Amino acid sequence: MSNRDIDSISLLCHKLETHGVRTDLLDPGPLPPARVLEIDAAGWGKAAEIAHAEKWRWAGVWAEDLLSELYVYACLEHQGAYLVLRAGLSAEHPRLPSQAPYYWAADRPERHLQDMFGIHFDDHPDPRRWTRHQAWDESSHPLRRDFPAAGLSPRQTSPDNSYPFLRAQGASVYEIPVGPVHAGIIEPGHFRFLAIGETVLHLEERLGYVHKGIEKIAEGRDPHSLARLAGRVSGDTTVSHAWAACLAMERAAGLDAPPRAAFLRGILAERERVINHLWDIGALCNDVGFGFGFYQFGRLRELWLRENQALFGHRLLMDKIVPGGVAVDVDAAVGQRIKLSIAALRKELDELITILDNNSSLEDRFLAAGHLSTELATALGALGFVGRASGQSFDVRQDAPYAPYQQLRMRVAQEEQGDVSSRLWVRYKELRTSLRLLEDMLDGMPSGELLTAWRIPQEHAVGFAAVESWRGEVLCFVRFAADNRISRYWPRDASVINWPALEKLVLGNIVPDFPVCNKSVNGSYSGHDL
Amino acid sequence: MLQLYGKIFKTGVLTEKTPKKPREIDETLEAMGRSLKAVVDKRFQGSLAIRQVDAGSCNGCELEIHALNNVFYDVERFGVHFVASPRHADVLLVTGPVSRHMEAALRRTYEATADPKWVVAVGDCGVCGGEFGVSYASCGAVSNVIPVDLAIPGCPPTPLMLLQGLLTLCGRF
């Protein structure tokens, strides 16, 4: 923790105090490297208002049921310093001032808490249900301790026909409902377009279709089992979610993965980034009918997937990050093979990007499509390539580095233009950065153990972690019960923050450009719905 | 444009035998594909239409199903293709676990598929509930919601396992 972090946190505390919000900065805090600031529930909204004025980014909210009371946590970030606000609520009638009036990103996560814990948020601008469809009723709350994981009613779940979508009046406005089952091989979700002619007037996302109770079924698991579950929060981000969960559990247990394991985790995560960026660049080409790009980038991706299988035993690298370390190793021969693939990929990328760049029909479709302004991206706290294509610079690897990135130098790719083309370029640059990081990690890899022996954490031990997935920042909170069992797991995928950006950036585009706009953001449905 | 043609020319046809592919994958794929094509030709007039339904998966299975269409596997050459509507489908390829919020949509998709139809449950979660099992939010296996004709386990199943599964399904006709 640098002086700079302490300064911005103490400045915020000071401002809160002067506005009459009682605060207590816990020292030492239970969630390093984040600081924990306990505040009065009554000051929850005021705290958001002041933090917003002080340019803190809102990163997430979660709660836990401790039977006698509920704890609510909100995570803020400013120049790489994480601050977690915590407030205690009565378990009987939990209510809290909403932070959504000040932070756009807080809107849906607070509605998630409303559905899952029964917390009432005062002054919430849109208190409709969010995660809840028809699988449980309004009066029951799955993440409360008295709610059985098996559910209350085994009957068939009825379709969710009664969600109050925004309606438009007027002769020339028409609605286009899309989903949950989409036309391609993609995840389910519902989009409700209001269009005039071909132009999108309004888009409303309705997610939650793949809600499979991840937070609830995490309860009672042991660390290995939780790491497996975390690896399935979003299949395309398996490495990063497993990494975040393991890091949080290791911090709760008070142990560090060995330095070599940290480098290997970095290698796995960068490979995941390379593969996903390759795939999405190809898919963007496909969405504008440029089959050549789709097949070429798909080919490069498949080569790397096969290499994953050959070197690490799994194409998507599932279950390779385990509590305490990693389940794979890279020896000199493997390192050499990876370097050869990197060199080969660079050569191919040089060729392909020139072809893409010279193609005027791509330019026509990508440039100016799906524009997200810097102001909107800042207001939302947009993450990953979505934020970095719209003037944001935040990257956990650089701003709040964790092992091994503390020892690596990297330049974060950034663009200002905010359109589909910018997001594609940022991803291309990130791909190149990842290739260099991979080489640096292979060269600088320390020798030593792959695993630190697991130590059973104390009852009530908690841990927090932030890692940079290919989509952007992933957050994780865990709490242990007795006997090495998890009592609370909260993962926050970058998609949770980025999904609302799509609703805005598609406005004014034509409906047929929605697929390419959507792909340029590529939110995870599973990572959002949990 | 010349560069583009040059790249296509240099890349060559990877779906046929090529030194870039490990040999054993090559041969398994070719052999499996040939048998599959024979059945598809005979029983489905040369064309097997698949509607993929994600009923709650973590999206890992979707990545591998997508890979079936890349240049290495190019499943379309065996007459297998993915369609946009259940109305056009012979086979529903369903990944799970079936979330309760997708339960009704899955039933409706099944009802919208014309007879004769077959359902293939893909992935450990689709086959038995996998990491998620049955809970307040999940119905678990696909077979808990609609009748299933074939299971392709794996987390996720590789493209070769998927191909092998389709072959098994077709082998039953």
Side-chain angles (χ1 to χ4, degrees):
Chain A
M1 173 125 327
S2 71
N3 285 334
R4 189 193 66 190
D5 300 350
I6 292 165
D7 286 349
S8 61
I9 291 173
S10 45
L11 183 67
L12 180 66
C13 291
H14 175 71
K15 294 248 167 159
L16 290 173
E17 293 281 352
T18 54
H19 282 85
V21 179
R22 270 194 304 166
T23 63
D24 181 13
L25 187 63
L26 303 186
D27 194 26
L31 299 175
R35 300 298 303 272
V36 178
L37 184 67
E38 204 153 65
I39 66 175
D40 267 352
W44 194 252
K46 192 74 189 166
E49 185 183 351
I50 294 165
H52 181 257
E54 294 296 311
K55 305 217 172 337
W56 284 74
R57 175 175 65 87
W58 192 93
V61 65
W62 70 97
E64 49 176 347
D65 182 359
L66 302 171
L67 292 174
S68 56
E69 61 176 340
L70 298 185
Y71 270 166
V72 179
Y73 304 78
C75 180
L76 303 169
E77 181 273 337
H78 181 62
Q79 295 179 347
Y82 282 101
L83 178 67
V84 174
L85 307 177
R86 189 176 82 184
L89 301 183
S90 117
E92 289 281 297
H93 301 289
R95 62 191 303 149
L96 200 60
S98 170
Q99 299 189 328
Y102 313 100
Y103 285 111
W104 175 19
D107 184 298
R108 291 168 183 177
E110 285 188 351
R111 289 159 69 189
H112 177 70
L113 291 191
Q114 165 197 292
D115 293 348
M116 304 304 283
F117 285 94
I119 298 172
H120 179 82
F121 285 91
D122 291 317
D123 308 321
H124 194 290
D126 179 10
R128 286 177 297 173
R129 58 197 165 82
W130 179 244
T131 305
R132 180 170 66 83
H133 289 198
Q134 301 294 331
W136 65 95
D137 65 36
E138 195 179 352
S139 62
S140 46
H141 308 289
L143 287 178
R144 297 297 289 262
R145 294 283 169 207
D146 55 8
F147 187 97
L152 298 166
S153 149
R155 66 182 160 77
Q156 270 190 26
T157 316
S158 38
D160 191 23
N161 294 331
S162 59
Y163 186 76
F165 285 98
L166 181 86
R167 308 303 289 261
Q169 312 290 327
S172 53
V173 184
Y174 62 99
E175 279 188 17
I176 312 173
V178 179
V181 179
H182 295 175
I185 305 172
I186 44 173
E187 298 179 78
H190 183 88
F191 300 108
R192 185 67 61 98
F193 295 92
L194 299 177
I196 298 181
E198 281 207 310
T199 307
V200 179
L201 178 68
H202 186 262
L203 165 65
E204 186 168 355
E205 294 160 0
R206 176 79 182 117
L207 302 177
Y209 285 94
V210 286
H211 174 70
K212 27 191 188 286
I214 287 176
E215 292 171 280
K216 186 75 176 180
I217 61 173
E219 292 171 7
R221 290 188 177 227
D222 66 21
H224 275 88
S225 171
L226 185 74
R228 277 184 63 83
L229 182 67
R232 284 151 186 84
V233 166
S234 180
D236 51 17
T237 319
T238 176
V239 172
S240 303
H241 274 288
W243 191 350
C246 287
L247 203 53
M249 288 192 284
E250 286 154 12
R251 284 172 179 162
L255 59 90
D256 284 315
R260 186 177 179 82
F263 271 71
L264 287 162
R265 286 175 173 186
I267 288 174
L268 298 174
E270 295 309 324
R271 289 187 70 90
E272 180 169 84
R273 195 181 321 274
V274 167
I275 286 169
N276 280 297
H277 282 357
L278 283 174
W279 176 230
D280 279 355
I281 293 174
L284 281 168
C285 291
N286 191 44
D287 280 344
V288 295
F290 187 52
F292 168 84
F294 178 63
Y295 288 108
Q296 290 287 346
F297 282 98
R299 172 177 65 87
L300 298 176
R301 169 178 183 266
E302 176 70 19
L303 289 173
W304 275 56
L305 288 174
R306 286 181 180 191
E307 193 170 80
N308 278 349
Q309 176 73 44
L311 303 182
F312 303 111
H314 195 284
R315 283 163 58 93
L316 304 180
L317 303 171
M318 278 178 171
D319 307 325
K320 301 304 165 195
I321 293 185
V322 294
V326 285
V328 291
D329 198 6
V330 169
D331 61 18
V334 168
Q336 200 50 40
R337 179 163 168 190
I338 295 178
K339 280 189 180 173
L340 287 176
S341 315
I342 292 172
L345 180 56
R346 273 210 186 96
K347 197 158 157 280
E348 300 251 20
L349 287 175
D350 287 342
E351 274 182 276
L352 288 173
I353 207 67
T354 317
I355 295 172
L356 259 55
D357 207 21
N358 288 340
N359 190 308
S360 54
S361 76
L362 284 187
E363 199 176 87
D364 186 41
R365 297 294 301 276
F366 289 159
L367 276 179
H371 178 251
L372 181 72
S373 68
T374 303
E375 292 71 39
L376 278 178
T378 310
L380 181 64
L383 294 169
F385 50 83
V386 178
R388 291 192 287 268
S390 294
Q392 311 301 301
S393 65
F394 182 74
D395 186 315
V396 191
R397 293 174 296 172
Q398 175 178 267
D399 296 302
Y402 44 102
Y405 295 104
Q406 289 138 334
Q407 288 156 265
L408 300 167
R409 280 172 34 155
M410 59 172 288
R411 201 171 55 213
V412 175
Q414 204 184 334
E415 295 264 329
E416 308 285 334
Q417 213 171 298
D419 55 4
V420 172
S421 166
S422 281
R423 289 190 280 280
L424 189 148
W425 272 110
V426 166
R427 300 185 74 171
Y428 178 73
K429 290 185 198 167
E430 286 185 7
L431 224 171
R432 304 294 298 223
T433 306
S434 290
L435 295 182
R436 207 175 49 73
L437 281 171
L438 277 169
E439 287 174 334
D440 290 350
M441 283 190 276
L442 289 168
D443 288 336
M445 183 139 51
S447 55
E449 299 292 312
L450 300 175
L451 268 179
T452 301
W454 186 251
R455 238 193 332 262
I456 294 181
Q458 289 182 340
E459 190 175 353
H460 305 310
V462 287
F464 171 84
V467 304
E468 185 77 13
S469 77
W470 64 276
R471 267 200 188 91
E473 174 200 58
V474 163
L475 298 179
C476 177
F477 168 85
V478 295
R479 180 185 289 274
F480 277 91
D483 304 327
N484 212 21
R485 297 289 158 184
I486 296 291
S487 72
R488 179 78 175 105
Y489 168 56
W490 173 75
R492 204 236 52 218
D493 192 78
S495 312
V496 173
I497 303 292
N498 282 351
W499 267 115
L502 178 64
E503 285 184 348
K504 298 292 177 227
L505 64 84
V506 76
L507 298 182
N509 286 261
I510 56 172
V511 176
D513 265 354
F514 175 71
V516 71
C517 290
N518 187 14
K519 185 45 91 174
S520 76
V521 174
N522 194 7
S524 164
Y525 299 70
S526 181
H528 170 280
D529 297 349
L530 297 182
Chain B
M1 214 51 190
L2 267 183
Q3 275 173 314
L4 190 152
Y5 288 131
K7 184 70 188 167
I8 292 174
F9 184 70
K10 265 192 296 180
T11 306
V13 180
L14 296 175
T15 20
E16 297 297 331
K17 283 186 170 36
T18 152
K20 279 193 180 168
K21 287 191 290 182
R23 192 144 286 268
E24 76 271 29
I25 290 193
D26 223 17
E27 280 165 7
T28 336
L29 181 62
E30 288 294 325
M32 264 190 220
R34 270 197 305 275
S35 330
L36 184 60
K37 180 143 182 30
V39 184
V40 170
D41 281 349
K42 197 167 160 208
R43 305 282 179 183
F44 292 92
Q45 306 279 317
S47 146
L48 182 72
I50 298 180
R51 169 67 252 206
Q52 197 268 337
V53 184
D54 175 341
S57 115
C58 76
N59 78 31
C61 289
E62 278 61 37
L63 293 175
E64 292 296 54
I65 293 170
H66 256 299
L68 280 177
N69 283 322
N70 76 31
V71 293
F72 290 94
Y73 303 101
D74 187 23
V75 73
E76 285 209 12
R77 71 189 146 138
F78 308 128
V80 176
H81 61 126
F82 289 87
V83 294
S85 166
R87 305 254 186 236
H88 306 155
D90 303 305
V91 172
L92 291 181
L93 202 60
V94 188
T95 59
V98 183
S99 70
R100 292 201 189 265
H101 292 168
M102 276 301 288
E103 190 182 340
L106 178 62
R107 286 184 203 282
R108 287 175 173 187
T109 306
Y110 180 76
E111 283 157 18
T113 311
D115 281 320
K117 59 189 166 193
W118 296 269
V119 176
V120 180
V122 172
D124 287 350
C125 301
V127 172
C128 68
E131 201 59 38
F132 303 99
V134 177
S135 74
Y136 78 92
S138 162
C139 307
V142 176
S143 58
N144 291 343
V145 179
I146 54 174
V148 167
D149 299 283
L150 181 83
I152 307 179
C155 188
T158 62
L160 275 184
M161 290 157 78
L162 289 165
L163 211 54
Q164 174 79 61
L166 289 177
L167 185 59
T168 312
L169 179 75
C170 291
R172 292 186 187 169
F173 304 126

